[in-house]
């Protein structure tokens, strides 16, 4: 999920070449990308902060959640 504030940027500079719009919501856009889950993808997605949310796969979503928890513990 990409927030409606962030979507204009990601629409013109896709996260990945495989990016496809799945559905549009009032508060944003749900997209699908076909990628290998790796550190570079984590860094990219986390760089958007609260304006991007991973919906699946659940294991990657939980991995990012744990990274965010560890970040928060630093503050």
């Amino acid at each position: 999920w990409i927030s409606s504030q962030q979507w204009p940027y990601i629409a013109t500079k896709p996260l990945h070449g495989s990016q496809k719009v799945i559905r549009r919501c009032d508060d944003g856009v749900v997209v699908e990308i076909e990628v290998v889950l790796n550190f570079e993808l984590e860094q990219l997605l986390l760089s958007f902060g609260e304006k991007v949310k991973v919906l699946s796969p659940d294991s990657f979503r939980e991995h990012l959640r744990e990274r965010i928890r560890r970040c928060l513990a630093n503050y």
Side-chain angles (χ1 to χ4, degrees), residues 35-50:
V35 294
V36 174
L37 305 178
N38 59 30
F39 183 74
E40 289 78 14
L41 179 62
E42 290 178 34
Q43 294 295 96
L44 175 64
L45 295 173
L46 291 172
S47 74
F48 293 108
E50 75 284 358

Side-chain angles (χ1 to χ4, degrees), residues 41-43 45-46 49 52-74:
L41 179 62
E42 290 178 34
Q43 294 295 96
L45 295 173
L46 291 172
V52 169
K53 181 177 4 176
V54 172
L55 302 177
S56 70
D58 288 338
S59 59
F60 190 59
R61 181 179 162 96
E62 185 55 38
H63 176 75
L64 292 179
R65 181 180 290 139
E66 185 54 36
R67 280 199 63 192
I68 293 166
R69 280 187 195 125
R70 289 193 308 265
C71 288
L72 185 58
N74 287 337

Side-chain angles (χ1 to χ4, degrees), residues 1-9 25-29 51-52:
W1 170 87
I2 301 163
S3 74
S4 48
Q5 295 91 5
Q6 190 65 45
W7 176 244
Y9 176 81
C25 313
D26 291 339
D27 60 348
V29 177
K51 294 185 170 131
V52 169

Side-chain angles (χ1 to χ4, degrees), residues 7 14 16-23 29-34:
W7 176 244
H16 187 263
S18 66
Q19 181 172 302
K20 295 180 213 164
V21 173
I22 301 301
R23 72 177 179 275
V29 177
V30 175
V31 301
E32 177 182 272
I33 55 175
E34 295 181 28

